[in-house]
Amino acid sequence: MARKNRENRGLFEKPVGSGRWWVRCWINGKDHREFVGTKTEARNRYEDLTGKIRKGEMIADCRKTKISDLITLGLNEAKANDRKSLKEFERFAALLGEYCGSWRAAALTTDDCNKYRTLRKEGKVTTKDPEKRKNQKIRAVTDSTINRELAWLRHVYRLGFRNKPRLVAQVPEIPFVDENNVREGFFDLGEFERLKEHLPAHLKPVVTLGYYTGMRLGEILNLRWSQVDFGAGVLRLESKDTKNRRPRNIPLGPEVRSVLEAWRFETMTKYPACDRVAHFDGRPIERITRSWKTACRRAGLPGKLFHDLRRTAVRNMTKAGVDRTVAKRISGHKTDSVFERYDIKNDRDLIEAAEKVEAYLKGQNQIPIGKKSALSATDLEEVLKLALETIEKSKKIGAPGVI
């Protein structure tokens, strides 16, 4: 009897005894029934459909797939590719797993995603134990943070869709909100020196590297002494050490070199077995959040971020006239668009530009014919550029007297 059932799997005769045979299987998450004809034709058709399902050309019963299965798929993919954001993905997985992990993947809707955003802002979706969170203050969650979480949810759906056989029939429409979180903070030299005065000794090399080289905090905390080549005067970052998986060499300026040499001497004297540049009593530093906030508050710089040092380094390189290609290689930026976001102009930059224009205009009436301008070639080029921009703007608004 069991053998007969296996032979007729996916086939049924309707009406019974009529000789009209049908096939039945799950395709694209739906119960697919199709009239074929004779029993032999129906069996061949069923084998053809199941073969396509196995190849991933069609989807089997994706109604059985749960969102927790997709989350597991996403975490396994991150581990297999050694993603640097694995810890962040695990946090996303815990949050999404609490909200919808037990749901069928095919059941997720756009409204469910909007509801998730609302509950996250209200602090009702969190990885903390419910008993512990009763007396705790709810921490505000920004739209950009929720966007990252939903973006990862979309990512695991796409993995499930590309999987063979496919685990989902389609990727749901997941809404995102506009973000207005572009930071524009930076340090001037006086603020940087004031900050250093309030930092503990073991963090001064860390912030010095951030201010002068523009290295990311994670790159600094993972830096080892074997990567510091004092002979060649460079720091060597391998592809596994950088965010964009591109190796780069960072030159050591006099100030950075002096600080690192003094810190290495102290490290080798007290903790000869320590191979990390960033350490506290020979133990690697994992985070600096509390010490950073305390130092910023005491220095009168509340709200400053460590990443502001990176923006500062890019801005300083640009103002110093470093070629953009070289500056991008030092900072590790891949595209011009992101690099330009870091090259922030403050009010003082604009005032200096205005002063140069005024000096140039005044000099036109004071410099005798045949004499050279007191301004350098670079200054003159910048002044000419500003003057041309002013003329173009005047033409657009129809200013009088402009030809």
mmCIF file of all heavy atoms in Angstrom, residues 355-392:
data_model
loop_
_atom_site.group_PDB
_atom_site.id
_atom_site.type_symbol
_atom_site.label_atom_id
_atom_site.label_comp_id
_atom_site.label_asym_id
_atom_site.label_seq_id
_atom_site.Cartn_x
_atom_site.Cartn_y
_atom_site.Cartn_z
ATOM 1 N N GLU A 355 38.081 87.582 2.731
ATOM 2 C CA GLU A 355 39.223 88.487 2.947
ATOM 3 C C GLU A 355 40.192 88.447 1.766
ATOM 4 O O GLU A 355 40.752 89.477 1.370
ATOM 5 C CB GLU A 355 39.943 88.106 4.234
ATOM 6 C CG GLU A 355 39.134 88.428 5.501
ATOM 7 C CD GLU A 355 39.800 87.899 6.754
ATOM 8 O OE1 GLU A 355 40.786 87.127 6.618
ATOM 9 O OE2 GLU A 355 39.367 88.265 7.855
ATOM 10 N N LYS A 356 40.373 87.260 1.187
ATOM 11 C CA LYS A 356 41.265 87.147 0.027
ATOM 12 C C LYS A 356 40.695 87.894 -1.172
ATOM 13 O O LYS A 356 41.432 88.539 -1.933
ATOM 14 C CB LYS A 356 41.479 85.667 -0.319
ATOM 15 C CG LYS A 356 42.352 84.928 0.676
ATOM 16 C CD LYS A 356 42.530 83.476 0.266
ATOM 17 C CE LYS A 356 43.396 82.724 1.256
ATOM 18 N NZ LYS A 356 43.587 81.308 0.887
ATOM 19 N N VAL A 357 39.373 87.810 -1.351
ATOM 20 C CA VAL A 357 38.742 88.534 -2.458
ATOM 21 C C VAL A 357 38.918 90.031 -2.272
ATOM 22 O O VAL A 357 39.271 90.761 -3.212
ATOM 23 C CB VAL A 357 37.240 88.175 -2.547
ATOM 24 C CG1 VAL A 357 36.546 89.050 -3.577
ATOM 25 C CG2 VAL A 357 37.082 86.712 -2.923
ATOM 26 N N GLU A 358 38.700 90.533 -1.048
ATOM 27 C CA GLU A 358 38.852 91.966 -0.781
ATOM 28 C C GLU A 358 40.292 92.408 -0.998
ATOM 29 O O GLU A 358 40.552 93.487 -1.554
ATOM 30 C CB GLU A 358 38.412 92.271 0.648
ATOM 31 C CG GLU A 358 36.905 92.138 0.864
ATOM 32 C CD GLU A 358 36.503 92.501 2.278
ATOM 33 O OE1 GLU A 358 37.381 92.994 3.026
ATOM 34 O OE2 GLU A 358 35.331 92.305 2.635
ATOM 35 N N ALA A 359 41.246 91.577 -0.535
ATOM 36 C CA ALA A 359 42.657 91.929 -0.720
ATOM 37 C C ALA A 359 43.015 91.991 -2.200
ATOM 38 O O ALA A 359 43.767 92.862 -2.643
ATOM 39 C CB ALA A 359 43.533 90.908 0.002
ATOM 40 N N TYR A 360 42.443 91.081 -2.956
ATOM 41 C CA TYR A 360 42.714 91.065 -4.391
ATOM 42 C C TYR A 360 42.150 92.311 -5.067
ATOM 43 O O TYR A 360 42.823 92.953 -5.886
ATOM 44 C CB TYR A 360 42.105 89.800 -4.998
ATOM 45 C CG TYR A 360 42.115 89.797 -6.512
ATOM 46 C CD1 TYR A 360 43.286 89.562 -7.218
ATOM 47 C CD2 TYR A 360 40.939 90.039 -7.229
ATOM 48 C CE1 TYR A 360 43.292 89.576 -8.609
ATOM 49 C CE2 TYR A 360 40.937 90.052 -8.608
ATOM 50 C CZ TYR A 360 42.117 89.810 -9.297
ATOM 51 O OH TYR A 360 42.117 89.835 -10.653
ATOM 52 N N LEU A 361 40.909 92.648 -4.725
ATOM 53 C CA LEU A 361 40.270 93.805 -5.352
ATOM 54 C C LEU A 361 40.988 95.099 -4.985
ATOM 55 O O LEU A 361 41.157 95.995 -5.820
ATOM 56 C CB LEU A 361 38.803 93.874 -4.942
ATOM 57 C CG LEU A 361 37.934 92.697 -5.434
ATOM 58 C CD1 LEU A 361 36.527 92.802 -4.861
ATOM 59 C CD2 LEU A 361 37.897 92.660 -6.951
ATOM 60 N N LYS A 362 41.399 95.224 -3.722
ATOM 61 C CA LYS A 362 42.140 96.417 -3.308
ATOM 62 C C LYS A 362 43.494 96.484 -4.009
ATOM 63 O O LYS A 362 43.967 97.564 -4.359
ATOM 64 C CB LYS A 362 42.342 96.403 -1.800
ATOM 65 C CG LYS A 362 41.058 96.648 -1.006
ATOM 66 C CD LYS A 362 41.339 96.605 0.488
ATOM 67 C CE LYS A 362 40.055 96.854 1.281
ATOM 68 N NZ LYS A 362 40.294 96.773 2.749
ATOM 69 N N GLY A 363 44.100 95.325 -4.210
ATOM 70 C CA GLY A 363 45.424 95.300 -4.838
ATOM 71 C C GLY A 363 45.404 95.729 -6.290
ATOM 72 O O GLY A 363 46.432 96.157 -6.834
ATOM 73 N N GLN A 364 44.233 95.641 -6.960
ATOM 74 C CA GLN A 364 44.152 96.044 -8.355
ATOM 75 C C GLN A 364 44.433 97.538 -8.529
ATOM 76 O O GLN A 364 44.973 97.968 -9.548
ATOM 77 C CB GLN A 364 42.754 95.727 -8.910
ATOM 78 C CG GLN A 364 42.424 94.238 -8.920
ATOM 79 C CD GLN A 364 43.467 93.443 -9.673
ATOM 80 O OE1 GLN A 364 43.685 93.643 -10.858
ATOM 81 N NE2 GLN A 364 44.156 92.542 -8.969
ATOM 82 N N ASN A 365 44.095 98.341 -7.533
ATOM 83 C CA ASN A 365 44.308 99.793 -7.612
ATOM 84 C C ASN A 365 45.662 100.207 -7.049
ATOM 85 O O ASN A 365 46.077 101.352 -7.190
ATOM 86 C CB ASN A 365 43.206 100.529 -6.846
ATOM 87 C CG ASN A 365 41.848 100.280 -7.464
ATOM 88 O OD1 ASN A 365 41.743 100.140 -8.675
ATOM 89 N ND2 ASN A 365 40.814 100.215 -6.629
ATOM 90 N N GLN A 366 46.357 99.276 -6.368
ATOM 91 C CA GLN A 366 47.606 99.642 -5.698
ATOM 92 C C GLN A 366 48.839 99.101 -6.398
ATOM 93 O O GLN A 366 49.930 99.638 -6.239
ATOM 94 C CB GLN A 366 47.577 99.119 -4.255
ATOM 95 C CG GLN A 366 46.460 99.744 -3.414
ATOM 96 C CD GLN A 366 46.369 99.129 -2.028
ATOM 97 O OE1 GLN A 366 47.132 98.213 -1.711
ATOM 98 N NE2 GLN A 366 45.459 99.626 -1.212
ATOM 99 N N ILE A 367 48.675 98.018 -7.167
ATOM 100 C CA ILE A 367 49.849 97.398 -7.789
ATOM 101 C C ILE A 367 50.160 98.112 -9.104
ATOM 102 O O ILE A 367 49.331 98.138 -10.009
ATOM 103 C CB ILE A 367 49.601 95.908 -8.060
ATOM 104 C CG1 ILE A 367 49.287 95.197 -6.737
ATOM 105 C CG2 ILE A 367 50.782 95.262 -8.741
ATOM 106 C CD1 ILE A 367 48.903 93.745 -6.901
ATOM 107 N N PRO A 368 51.355 98.708 -9.232
ATOM 108 C CA PRO A 368 51.734 99.361 -10.492
ATOM 109 C C PRO A 368 51.830 98.347 -11.621
ATOM 110 O O PRO A 368 52.016 97.156 -11.393
ATOM 111 C CB PRO A 368 53.110 99.966 -10.171
ATOM 112 C CG PRO A 368 53.208 99.965 -8.665
ATOM 113 C CD PRO A 368 52.388 98.833 -8.199
ATOM 114 N N ILE A 369 51.670 98.873 -12.842
ATOM 115 C CA ILE A 369 51.774 98.004 -14.016
ATOM 116 C C ILE A 369 53.164 97.398 -14.078
ATOM 117 O O ILE A 369 54.166 98.087 -13.925
ATOM 118 C CB ILE A 369 51.491 98.804 -15.312
ATOM 119 C CG1 ILE A 369 50.058 99.347 -15.261
ATOM 120 C CG2 ILE A 369 51.699 97.946 -16.534
ATOM 121 C CD1 ILE A 369 49.719 100.242 -16.429
ATOM 122 N N GLY A 370 53.233 96.121 -14.349
ATOM 123 C CA GLY A 370 54.518 95.428 -14.446
ATOM 124 C C GLY A 370 54.962 94.809 -13.140
ATOM 125 O O GLY A 370 55.919 94.050 -13.108
ATOM 126 N N LYS A 371 54.307 95.168 -12.009
ATOM 127 C CA LYS A 371 54.672 94.591 -10.717
ATOM 128 C C LYS A 371 53.841 93.325 -10.467
ATOM 129 O O LYS A 371 52.706 93.224 -10.902
ATOM 130 C CB LYS A 371 54.418 95.588 -9.587
ATOM 131 C CG LYS A 371 55.277 96.847 -9.700
ATOM 132 C CD LYS A 371 56.722 96.561 -9.382
ATOM 133 C CE LYS A 371 57.549 97.839 -9.381
ATOM 134 N NZ LYS A 371 58.950 97.570 -9.036
ATOM 135 N N LYS A 372 54.387 92.427 -9.659
ATOM 136 C CA LYS A 372 53.687 91.197 -9.330
ATOM 137 C C LYS A 372 52.813 91.396 -8.109
ATOM 138 O O LYS A 372 53.120 92.191 -7.229
ATOM 139 C CB LYS A 372 54.678 90.058 -9.055
ATOM 140 C CG LYS A 372 55.417 89.579 -10.286
ATOM 141 C CD LYS A 372 56.272 88.373 -9.966
ATOM 142 C CE LYS A 372 56.962 87.843 -11.214
ATOM 143 N NZ LYS A 372 57.786 86.665 -10.899
ATOM 144 N N SER A 373 51.704 90.623 -8.051
ATOM 145 C CA SER A 373 50.810 90.695 -6.905
ATOM 146 C C SER A 373 51.466 90.064 -5.686
ATOM 147 O O SER A 373 52.278 89.145 -5.801
ATOM 148 C CB SER A 373 49.494 89.963 -7.206
ATOM 149 O OG SER A 373 48.734 89.821 -6.046
ATOM 150 N N ALA A 374 51.101 90.576 -4.498
ATOM 151 C CA ALA A 374 51.631 90.024 -3.255
ATOM 152 C C ALA A 374 51.016 88.658 -2.955
ATOM 153 O O ALA A 374 51.533 87.918 -2.134
ATOM 154 C CB ALA A 374 51.366 90.978 -2.092
ATOM 155 N N LEU A 375 49.908 88.340 -3.610
ATOM 156 C CA LEU A 375 49.266 87.051 -3.383
ATOM 157 C C LEU A 375 50.009 85.945 -4.129
ATOM 158 O O LEU A 375 50.576 86.173 -5.196
ATOM 159 C CB LEU A 375 47.810 87.087 -3.849
ATOM 160 C CG LEU A 375 46.880 88.049 -3.093
ATOM 161 C CD1 LEU A 375 45.527 88.079 -3.767
ATOM 162 C CD2 LEU A 375 46.737 87.636 -1.650
ATOM 163 N N SER A 376 49.986 84.760 -3.547
ATOM 164 C CA SER A 376 50.620 83.618 -4.194
ATOM 165 C C SER A 376 49.771 83.145 -5.370
ATOM 166 O O SER A 376 48.618 83.540 -5.526
ATOM 167 C CB SER A 376 50.786 82.469 -3.182
ATOM 168 O OG SER A 376 49.522 81.991 -2.802
ATOM 169 N N ALA A 377 50.368 82.253 -6.165
ATOM 170 C CA ALA A 377 49.644 81.725 -7.326
ATOM 171 C C ALA A 377 48.408 80.943 -6.885
ATOM 172 O O ALA A 377 47.355 81.003 -7.511
ATOM 173 C CB ALA A 377 50.580 80.821 -8.141
ATOM 174 N N THR A 378 48.552 80.221 -5.780
ATOM 175 C CA THR A 378 47.407 79.456 -5.274
ATOM 176 C C THR A 378 46.287 80.375 -4.834
ATOM 177 O O THR A 378 45.105 80.146 -5.105
ATOM 178 C CB THR A 378 47.845 78.565 -4.094
ATOM 179 O OG1 THR A 378 48.915 77.729 -4.509
ATOM 180 C CG2 THR A 378 46.688 77.703 -3.602
ATOM 181 N N ASP A 379 46.670 81.476 -4.134
ATOM 182 C CA ASP A 379 45.665 82.440 -3.688
ATOM 183 C C ASP A 379 44.951 83.071 -4.868
ATOM 184 O O ASP A 379 43.733 83.253 -4.857
ATOM 185 C CB ASP A 379 46.314 83.524 -2.818
ATOM 186 C CG ASP A 379 46.779 82.964 -1.476
ATOM 187 O OD1 ASP A 379 46.239 81.923 -1.075
ATOM 188 O OD2 ASP A 379 47.663 83.564 -0.855
ATOM 189 N N LEU A 380 45.732 83.445 -5.885
ATOM 190 C CA LEU A 380 45.141 84.080 -7.055
ATOM 191 C C LEU A 380 44.177 83.132 -7.768
ATOM 192 O O LEU A 380 43.113 83.546 -8.240
ATOM 193 C CB LEU A 380 46.254 84.519 -8.022
ATOM 194 C CG LEU A 380 47.068 85.755 -7.593
ATOM 195 C CD1 LEU A 380 48.226 85.964 -8.538
ATOM 196 C CD2 LEU A 380 46.177 86.993 -7.550
ATOM 197 N N GLU A 381 44.557 81.871 -7.835
ATOM 198 C CA GLU A 381 43.691 80.884 -8.479
ATOM 199 C C GLU A 381 42.377 80.744 -7.723
ATOM 200 O O GLU A 381 41.302 80.681 -8.322
ATOM 201 C CB GLU A 381 44.412 79.534 -8.531
ATOM 202 C CG GLU A 381 43.616 78.466 -9.261
ATOM 203 C CD GLU A 381 44.368 77.145 -9.317
ATOM 204 O OE1 GLU A 381 45.562 77.135 -8.983
ATOM 205 O OE2 GLU A 381 43.734 76.145 -9.709
ATOM 206 N N GLU A 382 42.464 80.728 -6.380
ATOM 207 C CA GLU A 382 41.256 80.606 -5.574
ATOM 208 C C GLU A 382 40.392 81.854 -5.695
ATOM 209 O O GLU A 382 39.164 81.770 -5.779
ATOM 210 C CB GLU A 382 41.627 80.351 -4.107
ATOM 211 C CG GLU A 382 40.418 80.099 -3.219
ATOM 212 C CD GLU A 382 40.821 79.712 -1.808
ATOM 213 O OE1 GLU A 382 42.024 79.516 -1.574
ATOM 214 O OE2 GLU A 382 39.925 79.621 -0.951
ATOM 215 N N VAL A 383 41.042 83.021 -5.690
ATOM 216 C CA VAL A 383 40.304 84.275 -5.811
ATOM 217 C C VAL A 383 39.587 84.346 -7.157
ATOM 218 O O VAL A 383 38.418 84.755 -7.245
ATOM 219 C CB VAL A 383 41.259 85.468 -5.640
ATOM 220 C CG1 VAL A 383 40.587 86.768 -6.057
ATOM 221 C CG2 VAL A 383 41.725 85.576 -4.200
ATOM 222 N N LEU A 384 40.286 83.951 -8.221
ATOM 223 C CA LEU A 384 39.690 83.982 -9.552
ATOM 224 C C LEU A 384 38.484 83.042 -9.620
ATOM 225 O O LEU A 384 37.456 83.380 -10.207
ATOM 226 C CB LEU A 384 40.734 83.568 -10.594
ATOM 227 C CG LEU A 384 40.260 83.546 -12.057
ATOM 228 C CD1 LEU A 384 39.761 84.926 -12.471
ATOM 229 C CD2 LEU A 384 41.382 83.091 -12.971
ATOM 230 N N LYS A 385 38.619 81.883 -8.986
ATOM 231 C CA LYS A 385 37.516 80.924 -8.977
ATOM 232 C C LYS A 385 36.303 81.510 -8.268
ATOM 233 O O LYS A 385 35.169 81.403 -8.743
ATOM 234 C CB LYS A 385 37.966 79.632 -8.281
ATOM 235 C CG LYS A 385 36.905 78.543 -8.269
ATOM 236 C CD LYS A 385 37.437 77.299 -7.580
ATOM 237 C CE LYS A 385 36.360 76.224 -7.512
ATOM 238 N NZ LYS A 385 36.861 75.000 -6.826
ATOM 239 N N LEU A 386 36.534 82.147 -7.119
ATOM 240 C CA LEU A 386 35.439 82.757 -6.365
ATOM 241 C C LEU A 386 34.794 83.893 -7.151
ATOM 242 O O LEU A 386 33.575 84.072 -7.147
ATOM 243 C CB LEU A 386 35.945 83.266 -5.010
ATOM 244 C CG LEU A 386 36.282 82.196 -3.968
ATOM 245 C CD1 LEU A 386 36.997 82.827 -2.775
ATOM 246 C CD2 LEU A 386 35.019 81.496 -3.508
ATOM 247 N N ALA A 387 35.632 84.675 -7.838
ATOM 248 C CA ALA A 387 35.107 85.793 -8.617
ATOM 249 C C ALA A 387 34.211 85.295 -9.753
ATOM 250 O O ALA A 387 33.147 85.843 -10.023
ATOM 251 C CB ALA A 387 36.262 86.623 -9.167
ATOM 252 N N LEU A 388 34.647 84.224 -10.430
ATOM 253 C CA LEU A 388 33.852 83.663 -11.519
ATOM 254 C C LEU A 388 32.531 83.110 -11.005
ATOM 255 O O LEU A 388 31.485 83.253 -11.644
ATOM 256 C CB LEU A 388 34.645 82.560 -12.226
ATOM 257 C CG LEU A 388 35.849 83.040 -13.056
ATOM 258 C CD1 LEU A 388 36.652 81.857 -13.558
ATOM 259 C CD2 LEU A 388 35.391 83.910 -14.222
ATOM 260 N N GLU A 389 32.579 82.470 -9.835
ATOM 261 C CA GLU A 389 31.341 81.945 -9.249
ATOM 262 C C GLU A 389 30.384 83.071 -8.920
ATOM 263 O O GLU A 389 29.175 82.967 -9.118
ATOM 264 C CB GLU A 389 31.663 81.127 -7.992
ATOM 265 C CG GLU A 389 32.355 79.806 -8.270
ATOM 266 C CD GLU A 389 32.705 79.062 -7.006
ATOM 267 O OE1 GLU A 389 32.490 79.629 -5.911
ATOM 268 O OE2 GLU A 389 33.203 77.924 -7.098
ATOM 269 N N THR A 390 30.931 84.186 -8.410
ATOM 270 C CA THR A 390 30.100 85.342 -8.068
ATOM 271 C C THR A 390 29.433 85.913 -9.311
ATOM 272 O O THR A 390 28.253 86.276 -9.316
ATOM 273 C CB THR A 390 30.953 86.427 -7.384
ATOM 274 O OG1 THR A 390 31.569 85.855 -6.226
ATOM 275 C CG2 THR A 390 30.082 87.605 -6.955
ATOM 276 N N ILE A 391 30.199 86.005 -10.406
ATOM 277 C CA ILE A 391 29.649 86.533 -11.654
ATOM 278 C C ILE A 391 28.537 85.635 -12.173
ATOM 279 O O ILE A 391 27.478 86.102 -12.611
ATOM 280 C CB ILE A 391 30.775 86.682 -12.705
ATOM 281 C CG1 ILE A 391 31.744 87.793 -12.272
ATOM 282 C CG2 ILE A 391 30.197 86.996 -14.077
ATOM 283 C CD1 ILE A 391 32.981 87.894 -13.136
ATOM 284 N N GLU A 392 28.755 84.308 -12.129
ATOM 285 C CA GLU A 392 27.736 83.378 -12.606
ATOM 286 C C GLU A 392 26.453 83.479 -11.796
ATOM 287 O O GLU A 392 25.355 83.473 -12.339
ATOM 288 C CB GLU A 392 28.280 81.941 -12.546
ATOM 289 C CG GLU A 392 29.357 81.640 -13.564
ATOM 290 C CD GLU A 392 28.845 81.779 -14.995
ATOM 291 O OE1 GLU A 392 27.671 81.450 -15.238
ATOM 292 O OE2 GLU A 392 29.620 82.235 -15.851
#
